[in-house]
């Protein structure tokens, strides 16, 4: 199952448009596959900082973490997936501060580094608030597989410096998908 997930995300990274709509479709796929509320994608930027190029729900807010800082930074530093099903009480979680500014309530966070051979991770993928209970060990293993498939994510953003999440692409229609999602994912399935 892990190899199939990695292959699916590898295909998405290769074939989705290298723009905000492509990132949004990638975020939608992550939310659907893991049954969670939000997704965040980090890429390594200058000076070893990891910048969120796609952070759902955080309009006009750029997230950046150093290795070892917050759950995303810990996952990057350890080169291993991490889960926290009690994020408001987790001393490593930075969500309390961001929730204060955004009004969102983070309950659970799962994050995995996007690996590179013999080098620091390319980035990290973070999922927030599983909709049907806590994240499980199975979810953690699946996210690690997905992270392997996300290698090459840099094609969406060569110089990570800001959050490219676009709230206009995120507005959901009556079937639960944003209009842009319907077209992008349909094109991907046909192609």
């Amino acid at each position: 199952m892990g190899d199939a997930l990695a292959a699916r995300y590898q295909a998405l990274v290769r074939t989705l448009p290298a723009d905000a709509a492509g990132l949004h479709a990638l975020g939608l796929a992550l939310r659907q596959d893991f049954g969670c509320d939000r997704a965040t994608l980090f890429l390594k930027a200058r000076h070893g900082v990891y910048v969120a190029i796609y952070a759902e729900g955080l309009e006009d807010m750029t997230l950046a973490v150093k290795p070892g800082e917050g759950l995303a930074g810990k996952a990057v530093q350890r080169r291993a997936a991490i889960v926290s099903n009690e994020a408001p009480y987790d001393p490593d979680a930075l969500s309390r501060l961001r929730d204060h500014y955004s009004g969102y309530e983070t309950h659970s966070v799962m994050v995995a580094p996007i690996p590179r051979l013999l080098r620091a991770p390319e980035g990290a993928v973070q999922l927030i608030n599983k909709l049907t209970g806590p994240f499980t060990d199975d979810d953690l293993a699946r996210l690690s597989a997905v992270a392997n498939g996300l290698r090459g994510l840099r094609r969406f953003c060569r110089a990570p410096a800001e959050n490219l999440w676009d709230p206009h692409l995120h507005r959901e229609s009556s079937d639960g998908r944003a209009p842009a999602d319907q077209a992008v994912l349909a094109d991907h399935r046909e192609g």
Side-chain angles (χ1 to χ4, degrees):
M1 179 180 197
D3 291 341
L5 267 175
R8 176 172 185 254
Y9 280 88
Q10 189 174 41
L12 285 169
V13 166
R14 271 196 326 267
T15 59
L16 286 172
D19 59 13
L23 279 172
H24 184 76
L26 196 55
L28 175 67
L30 287 163
R31 284 187 281 124
Q32 288 176 338
D33 283 345
F34 287 89
C36 65
D37 191 40
R38 292 185 176 183
T40 304
L41 298 167
F42 291 87
L43 277 179
K44 187 175 183 186
R46 290 182 175 201
H47 309 295
V49 173
Y50 288 79
V51 174
I53 61 165
Y54 183 78
E56 293 179 340
L58 298 179
E59 186 175 11
D60 299 326
M61 185 183 282
T62 299
L63 307 178
V65 296
K66 297 174 187 171
E69 182 179 72
L71 294 172
K74 293 265 187 221
V76 163
Q77 182 182 49
R78 295 176 185 169
R79 296 180 187 213
I82 294 175
V83 66
S84 177
N85 284 311
E86 296 183 3
Y89 309 104
D90 190 327
D92 292 327
L94 298 174
S95 56
R96 289 179 310 279
L97 177 63
R98 295 190 179 107
D99 287 357
H100 173 75
Y101 288 105
S102 69
Y104 185 75
E105 290 185 34
T106 302
H107 301 286
S108 56
V109 177
M110 183 172 61
V111 60
I114 300 169
R116 288 191 295 187
L117 294 175
L118 305 174
R119 294 170 57 190
E122 177 181 351
V125 54
Q126 178 176 275
L127 304 178
I128 301 164
N129 289 352
K130 185 169 178 176
L131 300 174
T132 59
F135 287 113
T136 64
D137 289 340
D138 182 54
D139 292 328
L140 202 59
R142 290 175 53 234
L143 186 62
S144 293
V146 165
N148 284 319
L150 291 174
R151 291 180 190 167
L153 187 64
R154 190 163 296 279
R155 77 180 276 272
F156 292 94
C157 180
R158 295 276 176 218
E162 65 183 328
N163 181 5
L164 301 175
W165 176 75
D166 183 345
H168 298 95
L169 293 174
H170 199 76
R171 292 205 176 104
E172 307 221 330
S173 63
S174 60
D175 72 351
R177 289 189 181 168
D181 295 337
Q182 297 165 357
V184 171
L185 289 177
D187 289 347
H188 183 267
R189 287 186 186 113
E190 292 169 7

Coordinates of all heavy atoms in Angstrom, one line a residue, residues 104-180:
Y104 N -8.4 29.5 14.3 CA -8.5 28.1 14.0 C -8.2 27.3 15.3 O -7.4 27.8 16.1 CB -7.6 27.7 12.9 CG -7.8 26.3 12.4 CD1 -8.8 25.9 11.7 CD2 -6.8 25.3 12.7 CE1 -9.0 24.6 11.2 CE2 -6.9 24.0 12.3 CZ -8.0 23.7 11.5 OH -8.1 22.4 11.1
E105 N -8.7 26.1 15.5 CA -8.4 25.3 16.6 C -7.7 24.0 16.1 O -8.3 23.1 15.5 CB -9.6 24.9 17.4 CG -10.2 26.1 18.2 CD -11.3 25.7 19.1 OE1 -11.3 24.6 19.6 OE2 -12.2 26.5 19.2
T106 N -6.4 23.8 16.4 CA -5.7 22.7 16.1 C -5.8 21.7 17.2 O -5.5 22.0 18.3 CB -4.2 23.0 15.8 OG1 -4.1 24.0 14.8 CG2 -3.4 21.8 15.4
H107 N -6.1 20.4 16.9 CA -6.3 19.4 17.9 C -5.2 18.3 17.6 O -4.6 17.8 18.6 CB -7.6 18.7 17.8 CG -8.7 19.7 18.1 ND1 -9.0 20.2 19.3 CD2 -9.6 20.3 17.2 CE1 -10.0 21.1 19.2 NE2 -10.4 21.2 18.0
S108 N -5.0 17.9 16.4 CA -4.0 16.9 16.1 C -3.2 17.3 14.9 O -3.7 17.9 13.9 CB -4.7 15.5 15.8 OG -5.7 15.7 14.8
V109 N -1.9 16.9 14.9 CA -1.0 17.2 13.8 C -0.1 16.0 13.5 O 0.3 15.3 14.5 CB 0.0 18.4 14.3 CG1 1.0 18.7 13.2 CG2 -0.8 19.6 14.6
M110 N 0.1 15.7 12.3 CA 1.0 14.7 11.8 C 1.9 15.2 10.7 O 1.4 15.9 9.8 CB 0.1 13.5 11.3 CG 1.0 12.3 10.9 SD -0.1 10.8 10.5 CE -1.1 11.4 9.1
V111 N 3.2 15.0 10.8 CA 4.1 15.6 9.9 C 5.2 14.6 9.6 O 5.6 13.8 10.4 CB 4.7 16.9 10.5 CG1 5.4 16.7 11.7 CG2 5.6 17.6 9.5
A112 N 5.6 14.6 8.3 CA 6.7 13.7 7.8 C 7.7 14.5 6.9 O 7.2 15.3 6.1 CB 6.2 12.5 7.0
P113 N 9.0 14.3 7.1 CA 9.9 14.9 6.2 C 9.9 14.4 4.8 O 9.6 13.2 4.6 CB 11.3 14.6 6.9 CG 11.1 13.3 7.6 CD 9.6 13.3 8.0
I114 N 10.1 15.2 3.8 CA 10.3 14.8 2.4 C 11.8 14.6 2.2 O 12.5 15.5 2.2 CB 9.7 15.9 1.5 CG1 8.2 16.2 1.8 CG2 9.9 15.4 0.0 CD1 7.7 17.4 1.0
P115 N 12.1 13.3 2.1 CA 13.6 13.0 2.1 C 14.3 13.3 0.8 O 13.7 13.4 -0.3 CB 13.6 11.5 2.3 CG 12.3 11.0 1.8 CD 11.3 12.1 2.0
R116 N 15.6 13.5 1.0 CA 16.6 13.5 -0.2 C 17.7 12.6 0.2 O 18.1 12.5 1.4 CB 17.1 14.9 -0.4 CG 16.1 15.9 -1.0 CD 16.7 17.2 -1.4 NE 17.3 17.9 -0.2 CZ 17.8 19.1 -0.3 NH1 17.8 19.8 -1.4 NH2 18.2 19.7 0.8
L117 N 18.4 12.0 -0.7 CA 19.5 11.2 -0.5 C 20.7 12.0 0.0 O 21.1 13.0 -0.6 CB 19.9 10.4 -1.7 CG 18.8 9.3 -2.2 CD1 19.3 8.7 -3.5 CD2 18.6 8.3 -1.1
L118 N 21.3 11.5 1.1 CA 22.5 12.1 1.7 C 22.5 13.6 1.9 O 23.5 14.2 2.0 CB 23.7 11.7 0.8 CG 23.9 10.2 0.5 CD1 25.0 10.0 -0.6 CD2 24.1 9.4 1.7
R119 N 21.3 14.2 2.0 CA 21.2 15.6 2.3 C 20.0 15.9 3.2 O 19.2 15.0 3.5 CB 21.0 16.4 1.0 CG 22.2 16.3 0.0 CD 22.0 16.8 -1.4 NE 21.5 18.2 -1.4 CZ 21.1 18.7 -2.5 NH1 21.0 18.1 -3.6 NH2 20.7 20.0 -2.4
A120 N 20.0 17.1 3.7 CA 18.8 17.5 4.6 C 17.5 17.3 3.8 O 17.5 17.4 2.6 CB 19.0 18.9 5.0
P121 N 16.5 17.0 4.5 CA 15.2 16.8 3.8 C 14.8 18.0 2.9 O 15.1 19.2 3.2 CB 14.2 16.7 4.9 CG 15.0 16.1 6.1 CD 16.3 16.8 5.9
E122 N 14.2 17.7 1.8 CA 13.7 18.7 0.8 C 12.6 19.6 1.4 O 12.5 20.8 1.1 CB 13.2 18.0 -0.4 CG 12.6 19.0 -1.5 CD 12.0 18.2 -2.7 OE1 12.3 17.0 -2.8 OE2 11.4 18.9 -3.5
G123 N 11.8 19.0 2.3 CA 10.7 19.7 2.9 C 10.0 18.8 3.9 O 10.6 17.9 4.4
A124 N 8.7 19.1 4.2 CA 7.9 18.3 5.0 C 6.5 18.5 4.6 O 6.1 19.5 4.1 CB 8.1 18.8 6.5
V125 N 5.7 17.5 4.9 CA 4.2 17.5 4.7 C 3.6 17.4 6.1 O 3.9 16.5 6.8 CB 3.8 16.4 3.7 CG1 4.3 15.0 4.2 CG2 2.3 16.4 3.5
Q126 N 2.6 18.3 6.3 CA 2.0 18.3 7.6 C 0.5 18.2 7.4 O -0.1 18.9 6.6 CB 2.3 19.6 8.3 CG 1.7 19.8 9.7 CD 2.2 21.0 10.3 OE1 3.2 21.0 11.0 NE2 1.5 22.1 10.1
L127 N -0.2 17.4 8.2 CA -1.7 17.2 8.1 C -2.2 17.6 9.5 O -1.7 17.3 10.5 CB -2.1 15.8 7.8 CG -1.5 15.3 6.5 CD1 -1.9 13.8 6.2 CD2 -1.9 16.1 5.3
I128 N -3.4 18.3 9.5 CA -3.9 18.9 10.7 C -5.4 18.4 10.9 O -6.2 18.4 9.9 CB -3.9 20.4 10.6 CG1 -2.4 20.8 10.5 CG2 -4.5 21.1 11.9 CD1 -2.2 22.3 10.0
N129 N -5.7 18.0 12.1 CA -7.0 17.7 12.5 C -7.7 16.6 11.7 O -8.5 16.8 10.8 CB -7.9 18.9 12.6 CG -7.6 19.8 13.7 OD1 -6.8 19.5 14.5 ND2 -8.2 21.0 13.7
K130 N -7.4 15.3 12.1 CA -8.1 14.2 11.4 C -9.5 14.3 11.8 O -9.9 14.6 13.0 CB -7.5 12.9 11.9 CG -8.1 11.7 11.2 CD -7.3 10.4 11.5 CE -8.0 9.2 10.8 NZ -7.2 8.0 11.0
L131 N -10.4 14.1 10.9 CA -11.9 14.3 11.1 C -12.6 13.2 11.8 O -13.6 13.4 12.4 CB -12.5 14.5 9.7 CG -12.0 15.7 8.9 CD1 -12.6 15.7 7.5 CD2 -12.2 17.0 9.6
T132 N -12.0 12.0 11.9 CA -12.7 10.9 12.5 C -11.9 10.3 13.7 O -12.0 9.1 14.0 CB -12.9 9.7 11.5 OG1 -11.6 9.3 11.0 CG2 -13.8 10.2 10.4
G133 N -11.3 11.2 14.5 CA -10.6 10.7 15.7 C -9.1 11.0 15.6 O -8.7 11.9 14.8
P134 N -8.3 10.4 16.4 CA -6.9 10.7 16.4 C -6.1 10.1 15.1 O -6.6 9.1 14.6 CB -6.3 10.1 17.7 CG -7.3 9.0 18.0 CD -8.6 9.4 17.4
F135 N -5.0 10.7 14.8 CA -4.1 10.0 13.8 C -3.6 8.7 14.4 O -3.3 8.7 15.6 CB -3.0 10.9 13.4 CG -3.4 12.1 12.5 CD1 -3.3 13.4 13.0 CD2 -3.8 11.9 11.2 CE1 -3.6 14.5 12.2 CE2 -4.2 13.0 10.4 CZ -4.1 14.3 10.9
T136 N -3.4 7.7 13.6 CA -3.0 6.4 14.1 C -1.5 6.1 13.6 O -1.0 6.8 12.7 CB -3.9 5.3 13.5 OG1 -3.8 5.3 12.1 CG2 -5.4 5.6 14.0
D137 N -1.0 5.0 14.1 CA 0.3 4.5 13.6 C 0.2 4.2 12.1 O 1.2 4.4 11.4 CB 0.8 3.3 14.4 CG 1.2 3.7 15.8 OD1 1.5 4.9 16.1 OD2 1.2 2.8 16.7
D138 N -0.9 3.7 11.7 CA -1.1 3.4 10.2 C -1.0 4.7 9.4 O -0.4 4.7 8.3 CB -2.4 2.6 10.0 CG -2.6 2.3 8.6 OD1 -1.7 1.6 8.0 OD2 -3.7 2.6 8.0
D139 N -1.7 5.7 9.9 CA -1.7 7.0 9.2 C -0.2 7.5 9.1 O 0.2 8.0 8.1 CB -2.5 8.1 10.0 CG -4.0 7.8 10.0 OD1 -4.5 7.3 9.0 OD2 -4.6 8.2 11.0
L140 N 0.5 7.3 10.2 CA 1.9 7.8 10.2 C 2.8 7.0 9.2 O 3.6 7.7 8.5 CB 2.5 7.5 11.6 CG 3.7 8.4 12.1 CD1 3.4 9.9 12.0 CD2 4.1 8.0 13.5
A141 N 2.6 5.7 9.1 CA 3.3 4.9 8.1 C 2.9 5.4 6.6 O 3.7 5.5 5.8 CB 3.0 3.5 8.3
R142 N 1.6 5.6 6.4 CA 1.1 6.0 5.1 C 1.7 7.4 4.8 O 2.1 7.6 3.6 CB -0.4 6.0 5.1 CG -1.0 4.6 5.1 CD -2.5 4.6 5.2 NE -3.2 5.4 4.2 CZ -4.1 6.4 4.5 NH1 -4.4 6.7 5.7 NH2 -4.6 7.1 3.5
L143 N 1.7 8.3 5.7 CA 2.3 9.7 5.4 C 3.7 9.6 5.1 O 4.2 10.3 4.2 CB 2.0 10.6 6.6 CG 2.4 12.1 6.3 CD1 1.6 12.7 5.1 CD2 2.2 12.9 7.6
S144 N 4.5 8.7 5.8 CA 5.9 8.5 5.4 C 6.1 8.1 4.0 O 6.9 8.6 3.3 CB 6.6 7.5 6.4 OG 6.6 8.1 7.7
A145 N 5.2 7.2 3.5 CA 5.2 6.7 2.1 C 4.9 7.9 1.2 O 5.5 8.1 0.2 CB 4.3 5.6 1.9
V146 N 3.9 8.6 1.5 CA 3.5 9.8 0.7 C 4.6 10.8 0.6 O 4.9 11.3 -0.5 CB 2.2 10.5 1.3 CG1 2.0 11.8 0.7 CG2 1.0 9.6 1.0
A147 N 5.3 11.0 1.7 CA 6.4 12.0 1.7 C 7.5 11.6 0.7 O 8.1 12.4 0.0 CB 7.0 12.1 3.1
N148 N 7.7 10.3 0.6 CA 8.7 9.8 -0.4 C 8.2 10.2 -1.8 O 9.0 10.5 -2.7 CB 8.9 8.3 -0.3 CG 9.8 7.9 0.8 OD1 10.8 8.6 1.1 ND2 9.4 6.9 1.5
G149 N 6.9 10.1 -2.1 CA 6.3 10.4 -3.4 C 6.3 11.9 -3.6 O 6.1 12.4 -4.8
L150 N 6.5 12.8 -2.6 CA 6.5 14.2 -2.8 C 7.9 14.8 -3.1 O 8.0 16.0 -3.3 CB 6.0 14.9 -1.5 CG 4.5 14.7 -1.2 CD1 4.1 15.3 0.1 CD2 3.6 15.3 -2.3
R151 N 8.9 13.9 -3.3 CA 10.2 14.4 -3.8 C 9.9 15.2 -5.1 O 9.2 14.7 -6.0 CB 11.1 13.3 -4.0 CG 11.6 12.6 -2.8 CD 12.5 11.5 -3.1 NE 12.7 10.7 -1.8 CZ 13.3 9.6 -1.8 NH1 13.7 9.0 -3.0 NH2 13.5 8.9 -0.7
G152 N 10.6 16.2 -5.3 CA 10.4 17.0 -6.5 C 9.4 18.1 -6.4 O 9.0 18.8 -7.3
L153 N 8.9 18.3 -5.1 CA 7.9 19.3 -4.8 C 8.4 20.7 -5.2 O 7.6 21.6 -5.5 CB 7.5 19.2 -3.4 CG 6.4 20.1 -2.8 CD1 5.1 19.7 -3.5 CD2 6.3 20.0 -1.3
R154 N 9.7 20.9 -5.3 CA 10.3 22.2 -5.6 C 9.8 22.7 -7.0 O 9.9 23.9 -7.2 CB 11.8 22.1 -5.5 CG 12.4 23.5 -5.6 CD 13.9 23.4 -5.1 NE 14.0 23.1 -3.7 CZ 13.9 23.9 -2.7 NH1 13.6 25.2 -2.9 NH2 14.1 23.5 -1.5
R155 N 9.3 21.9 -7.8 CA 8.9 22.4 -9.1 C 7.7 23.4 -9.0 O 7.5 24.2 -9.9 CB 8.5 21.2 -10.1 CG 7.2 20.5 -9.8 CD 6.9 19.4 -10.8 NE 6.4 19.9 -12.0 CZ 5.1 20.0 -12.2 NH1 4.2 19.8 -11.3 NH2 4.6 20.5 -13.4
F156 N 7.0 23.3 -7.9 CA 5.9 24.2 -7.6 C 6.4 25.6 -7.1 O 5.6 26.6 -7.2 CB 4.9 23.6 -6.6 CG 4.2 22.4 -7.1 CD1 4.6 21.2 -6.9 CD2 3.0 22.6 -7.8 CE1 4.0 20.0 -7.3 CE2 2.3 21.5 -8.3 CZ 2.8 20.2 -8.1
C157 N 7.6 25.6 -6.6 CA 8.1 26.9 -6.0 C 9.6 26.8 -5.9 O 10.1 26.2 -5.0 CB 7.5 27.1 -4.6 SG 8.0 28.5 -3.8
R158 N 10.3 27.4 -6.8 CA 11.8 27.3 -6.9 C 12.4 28.0 -5.7 O 13.4 27.5 -5.1 CB 12.3 27.9 -8.2 CG 11.9 27.2 -9.4 CD 12.9 26.0 -9.6 NE 12.4 25.2 -10.7 CZ 12.5 23.9 -10.8 NH1 13.0 23.3 -9.8 NH2 12.0 23.3 -11.8
A159 N 11.9 29.2 -5.3 CA 12.5 29.9 -4.2 C 11.5 30.1 -3.1 O 10.8 31.2 -3.1 CB 13.1 31.3 -4.7
P160 N 11.3 29.2 -2.2 CA 10.2 29.3 -1.2 C 10.4 30.5 -0.3 O 11.5 30.7 0.3 CB 10.4 28.0 -0.4 CG 11.7 27.4 -0.8 CD 12.1 28.0 -2.0
A161 N 9.4 31.4 -0.3 CA 9.5 32.6 0.5 C 8.2 33.0 1.1 O 8.1 33.8 2.0 CB 10.1 33.7 -0.3
E162 N 7.1 32.4 0.6 CA 5.7 32.8 1.1 C 4.7 31.7 0.9 O 5.0 30.7 0.1 CB 5.3 34.0 0.3 CG 5.1 33.8 -1.2 CD 4.7 35.1 -1.9 OE1 4.0 35.9 -1.3 OE2 5.0 35.2 -3.1
N163 N 3.6 31.8 1.5 CA 2.5 30.9 1.4 C 1.7 31.1 0.2 O 1.2 32.2 -0.1 CB 1.6 31.1 2.7 CG 0.4 30.1 2.7 OD1 0.3 29.2 1.9 ND2 -0.5 30.3 3.7
L164 N 1.7 30.1 -0.7 CA 1.0 30.3 -2.0 C -0.5 29.8 -2.0 O -1.1 29.8 -3.0 CB 1.7 29.5 -3.1 CG 3.2 30.0 -3.3 CD1 3.9 29.0 -4.3 CD2 3.2 31.4 -3.8
W165 N -1.0 29.5 -0.8 CA -2.4 29.1 -0.6 C -3.3 30.2 -1.1 O -3.1 31.4 -0.7 CB -2.7 28.7 0.8 CG -4.1 28.3 1.0 CD1 -4.7 27.2 0.6 CD2 -5.1 29.1 1.7 NE1 -6.1 27.2 1.0 CE2 -6.3 28.4 1.6 CE3 -5.1 30.4 2.3 CZ2 -7.5 28.9 2.2 CZ3 -6.3 30.9 2.8 CH2 -7.5 30.1 2.8
D166 N -4.2 29.9 -1.9 CA -5.1 30.9 -2.4 C -6.5 30.6 -1.9 O -7.1 29.6 -2.3 CB -5.1 30.9 -4.0 CG -5.9 32.0 -4.6 OD1 -6.8 32.6 -3.9 OD2 -5.8 32.2 -5.8
P167 N -7.1 31.5 -1.1 CA -8.4 31.2 -0.6 C -9.5 31.1 -1.7 O -10.5 30.4 -1.5 CB -8.7 32.3 0.4 CG -7.8 33.4 0.0 CD -6.6 32.8 -0.6
H168 N -9.3 31.7 -2.8 CA -10.3 31.7 -3.9 C -10.3 30.3 -4.5 O -11.4 29.8 -5.0 CB -9.9 32.7 -5.0 CG -10.0 34.1 -4.4 ND1 -8.9 34.8 -4.0 CD2 -11.1 34.9 -4.2 CE1 -9.3 35.9 -3.5 NE2 -10.6 36.1 -3.7
L169 N -9.2 29.6 -4.5 CA -9.2 28.2 -5.0 C -9.8 27.2 -4.0 O -10.2 26.1 -4.3 CB -7.8 27.7 -5.3 CG -7.1 28.5 -6.5 CD1 -5.6 28.0 -6.6 CD2 -7.8 28.2 -7.8
H170 N -9.8 27.6 -2.7 CA -10.2 26.7 -1.6 C -11.7 26.8 -1.4 O -12.3 25.9 -0.7 CB -9.5 27.1 -0.3 CG -9.5 26.0 0.7 ND1 -8.7 24.9 0.6 CD2 -10.2 25.9 1.8 CE1 -8.9 24.1 1.6 NE2 -9.8 24.7 2.4
R171 N -12.4 27.7 -1.9 CA -13.9 27.8 -1.7 C -14.5 26.6 -2.2 O -14.3 26.2 -3.4 CB -14.5 29.1 -2.4 CG -14.0 30.3 -1.7 CD -14.9 31.5 -1.9 NE -14.5 32.6 -1.1 CZ -13.8 33.6 -1.6 NH1 -13.6 33.7 -2.9 NH2 -13.4 34.6 -0.8
E172 N -15.3 25.9 -1.4 CA -15.9 24.7 -1.8 C -17.3 24.8 -2.4 O -18.1 25.7 -2.0 CB -16.0 23.7 -0.6 CG -14.6 23.6 0.1 CD -14.3 22.3 0.5 OE1 -15.2 21.5 0.9 OE2 -13.1 22.0 0.5
S173 N -17.6 24.0 -3.4 CA -18.9 24.0 -4.1 C -19.8 23.0 -3.4 O -19.5 22.4 -2.4 CB -18.7 23.6 -5.5 OG -18.2 22.3 -5.6
S174 N -21.0 22.7 -3.9 CA -21.9 21.9 -3.3 C -21.5 20.4 -3.2 O -21.9 19.7 -2.3 CB -23.2 21.9 -4.1 OG -23.0 21.4 -5.4
D175 N -20.5 20.0 -4.0 CA -20.0 18.6 -3.9 C -18.8 18.5 -3.0 O -18.2 17.5 -2.9 CB -19.7 18.0 -5.2 CG -18.5 18.6 -5.9 OD1 -17.9 19.6 -5.4 OD2 -18.1 18.0 -6.9
G176 N -18.5 19.6 -2.3 CA -17.4 19.6 -1.3 C -16.0 19.9 -1.9 O -15.0 19.8 -1.2
R177 N -16.0 20.2 -3.2 CA -14.7 20.5 -3.9 C -14.8 21.9 -4.4 O -15.8 22.4 -4.9 CB -14.4 19.5 -5.0 CG -14.1 18.1 -4.6 CD -13.6 17.4 -5.8 NE -13.3 16.0 -5.4 CZ -13.1 15.0 -6.2 NH1 -13.2 15.2 -7.5 NH2 -12.9 13.8 -5.8
A178 N -13.6 22.5 -4.4 CA -13.5 23.8 -5.1 C -13.6 23.7 -6.6 O -13.2 22.6 -7.1 CB -12.2 24.5 -4.7
P179 N -14.1 24.6 -7.3 CA -14.2 24.5 -8.8 C -12.9 24.2 -9.4 O -12.9 23.4 -10.3 CB -14.7 25.9 -9.2 CG -15.4 26.4 -8.0 CD -14.7 25.9 -6.8
A180 N -11.8 24.8 -9.0 CA -10.5 24.5 -9.6 C -10.1 23.0 -9.3 O -9.5 22.4 -10.2 CB -9.4 25.4 -9.0

